[in-house]
Amino acid sequence: MIGKASVNADMLRFQAVFVLIVALFFLCTNAIRSIPELETPIKEYASNIGVYGSDNVQYLEAPEYRNGDHCGVLGTTATAYGPFVVHVAMTLDFEYLRGSIAAVHSILKHTSCPENLYFHFIASESKTPKPDDLSRIIKTIFPSLDFRVYSFDDRVVKNLISYSVREALEDPLNYARTYLAEILDSSVTRVIYLDSDIIVVDDIQKLWSFSLGLTAIGAPVYCHANFTKYFTDRFWSDSRLSRVFDGKKPCYFNTGVMVMDLAKWRREDYRSRIERWMEIQKEERIYDLGSLPPFLLVFGGDVAAIDHRWNQHGLGGNNRVHSCRSLHPGPISLLHWSGKGKPWVRLDAGEPCPVDELWSPYDLYRHSKEQPRL
C-alpha cells in the first residue's frame, strides 16, 4: 500500500506543475493579442455535413493573436512563403478534431509571432467530414489563421499497412507524415510535424530554430529505453535485417513531434526507404507497433537530438489499457497524450487523469449550456 506521505508528496508535485502550466497559459510571451470581450460561440456543422451528432454542441471562436514588434515582416514575394514563416504540419479528422483544435490554440497562445505561422493540415479523402468541410470548420474557429487542408489518398499506403497492437494505429492517416515531402509544395523545405494529441506551452519558434545538422529529422531521443522491444525476435535473429543498425547507436524517438528537413528527405528518397521496410513487415512480421518502427529502422541512430522538454510523451497511458501517467521531472515545452487515453475522452467521461486538467484550458469545444471559459 502506498503511504499517505508518498501520496501527499505526489499531489504536491502535481500541484506545483499545474500552477506552472496555468501560469504559462496566461503569459503573454511577448505577443500582442487582440482578444474580444467574449469568445464567439460557433454552432456545430451538423446541419451542413451531418457528422457532429446532437444539436447542443458548439465550438468557440479562438481569440485573434497578433505578432510582437520584434517579428520579421512577412510581406509578399514571388515565392509562396516568406523567409520568416514557420511551417507546422498536422493530420486532421473527426475523431481527433477536438485535439487538433486545442493543439493549434495552444501554439497560437504561446508563440511570440503567431502571424508567422502557416499550418498544413492533412485530411483523408475517404473520411467524413471531407477535407473541404474541415477547411471551413478551421476557418470559422480560427478566422485569421493561415493554413491549407490537403487531401490524402489512403490508397497510397493502405496496402502496405499491417495489423498493430491497437486498431487506431492502423489508420492510413497515421502514415501521412511519411508523405509530407510529396504532399507539401516543393518550396516548403522544413516543417514541424505534430500529432493531434499535444499542447504546446512554449514558443514554437524555439523548436523551429533547432539545427538539424546533416540529419533529415530532429526529435527528442530516449537512449535509456529498451530499443530491442520495438522489434520481434524474428527481426533480431535475422542478421540480414538487424544489420541495418550496424555501426549505429539507435535510440527510441517518438514520431509525434519532429522537425523535418524536407529538402533532404526528397533528395534521399526516405519515403521509398520507409515503404520498403513496410513491405518486409508484411512478409516477415518484424514489429507490432504501427507507423513508428519503419521510422526507427530508417532513422535510428541518425536523429538530431532535441531537448526532452519538447515531448513529454506517454500521457495517454498504455497502448493496450487505460492508465494515468504523471509528468516526467524537468522543464516542459510540449505535453503529448500518446497512448490509448485521450484527455477530451476522459474529461467527458468524468474520469480524467490529473494531467488532463493541463489540456483543458486550450479546449474550444463546449456544450451549449456551459458558460465559455475565458
Side-chain angles (χ1 to χ4, degrees):
M1 178 179 289
I2 299 175
K4 183 177 181 181
S6 175
V7 173
N8 289 339
D10 289 341
M11 286 302 298
L12 286 172
R13 282 194 294 269
F14 170 75
Q15 289 170 359
V17 173
F18 179 78
V19 170
L20 172 63
I21 300 299
V22 171
L24 282 170
F25 178 79
F26 289 105
L27 192 63
C28 289
T29 64
N30 297 322
I32 299 174
R33 299 177 295 160
S34 174
I35 304 178
E37 292 184 3
L38 183 66
E39 291 172 319
T40 306
I42 298 174
K43 297 296 183 182
E44 61 171 335
Y45 278 71
S47 59
N48 295 326
I49 56 177
V51 295
Y52 278 88
S54 66
D55 291 333
N56 67 336
V57 178
Q58 59 187 6
Y59 277 99
L60 301 175
E61 182 178 312
E64 185 177 7
Y65 296 91
R66 295 298 184 187
N67 279 358
D69 292 336
H70 69 285
C71 298
V73 178
L74 295 179
T76 56
T77 64
T79 58
Y81 310 101
F84 299 105
V85 174
V86 173
H87 296 276
V88 180
M90 303 175 69
T91 57
L92 205 60
D93 68 354
F94 173 63
E95 184 177 359
Y96 285 86
L97 179 61
R98 187 169 168 186
S100 301
I101 290 170
V104 173
H105 188 201
S106 71
I107 294 168
L108 295 172
K109 181 82 174 179
H110 292 290
T111 186
S112 56
C113 300
E115 294 179 278
N116 290 21
L117 300 179
Y118 194 98
F119 285 85
H120 304 267
F121 297 112
I122 318 300
S124 173
E125 293 178 352
S126 65
K127 292 185 177 183
T128 302
K130 300 296 183 182
D132 286 347
D133 295 319
L134 288 167
S135 183
R136 287 193 290 270
I137 293 170
I138 296 297
K139 186 64 177 177
T140 310
I141 299 170
F142 301 101
S144 60
L145 188 70
D146 288 329
F147 73 94
R148 177 181 172 184
V149 178
Y150 303 76
S151 295
F152 180 66
D153 187 351
D154 295 353
R155 294 173 297 180
V156 171
V157 70
K158 195 168 186 177
N159 291 333
L160 293 171
I161 298 174
S162 55
Y163 70 87
S164 183
V165 295
R166 186 158 57 90
E167 186 177 355
L169 299 177
E170 300 171 22
D171 188 334
L173 203 55
N174 284 332
Y175 294 81
R177 71 199 81 187
T178 302
Y179 301 92
L180 286 177
E182 287 77 32
I183 296 171
L184 274 56
D185 189 86
S186 60
S187 64
V188 181
T189 58
R190 183 182 178 94
V191 70
I192 297 172
Y193 176 82
L194 298 174
D195 274 352
S196 297
D197 51 0
I198 63 98
I199 58 170
V200 177
V201 293
D202 202 347
D203 193 340
I204 202 167
Q205 298 268 353
K206 299 176 184 176
L207 182 58
W208 176 257
S209 64
F210 184 84
S211 174
L212 298 182
L214 298 177
T215 63
I217 65 171
V221 297
Y222 303 88
C223 294
H224 64 279
N226 181 8
F227 190 81
T228 60
K229 72 177 183 179
Y230 293 99
F231 303 97
T232 62
D233 291 342
R234 181 186 182 95
F235 170 82
W236 292 113
S237 63
D238 190 335
S239 60
R240 295 179 301 111
L241 302 174
S242 59
R243 69 184 179 188
V244 68
F245 296 124
D246 286 355
K248 298 181 179 180
K249 294 182 179 179
C251 296
Y252 163 77
F253 65 96
N254 182 284
T255 54
V257 179
M258 296 186 292
V259 181
M260 306 173 68
D261 182 340
L262 296 185
K264 183 176 179 64
W265 188 288
R266 295 174 182 120
R267 288 195 308 270
E268 302 294 334
D269 193 15
Y270 285 113
R271 166 188 170 171
S272 295
R273 300 190 196 186
I274 290 173
E275 287 180 334
R276 178 55 187 150
W277 280 112
M278 294 175 69
E279 290 169 353
I280 293 173
Q281 160 72 355
K282 295 282 285 187
E283 299 170 358
E284 305 199 36
R285 193 65 185 173
I286 58 175
Y287 56 80
D288 297 316
L289 200 59
S291 62
L292 170 64
F295 270 78
L296 297 179
L297 287 162
V298 172
F299 296 107
D302 292 313
V303 178
I306 294 175
D307 194 297
H308 289 177
R309 67 187 301 154
W310 283 103
N311 196 350
Q312 277 262 349
H313 66 285
L315 301 182
N318 190 282
N319 268 313
R320 295 182 184 272
V321 297
H322 288 291
S323 57
C324 289
R325 298 275 182 89
S326 58
L327 295 173
H328 305 298
I332 302 169
S333 294
L334 184 150
L335 295 99
H336 187 186
W337 278 260
S338 57
K340 188 174 183 179
K342 303 306 172 188
W344 56 93
V345 175
R346 297 192 296 215
L347 285 163
D348 284 355
E351 300 176 349
C353 292
V355 292
D356 297 342
E357 299 297 338
L358 305 181
W359 179 89
S360 182
Y362 303 93
D363 187 14
L364 293 176
Y365 185 79
R366 297 289 180 262
H367 294 280
S368 60
K369 294 182 180 179
E370 291 184 32
Q371 292 297 320
R373 187 184 307 172
L374 301 179

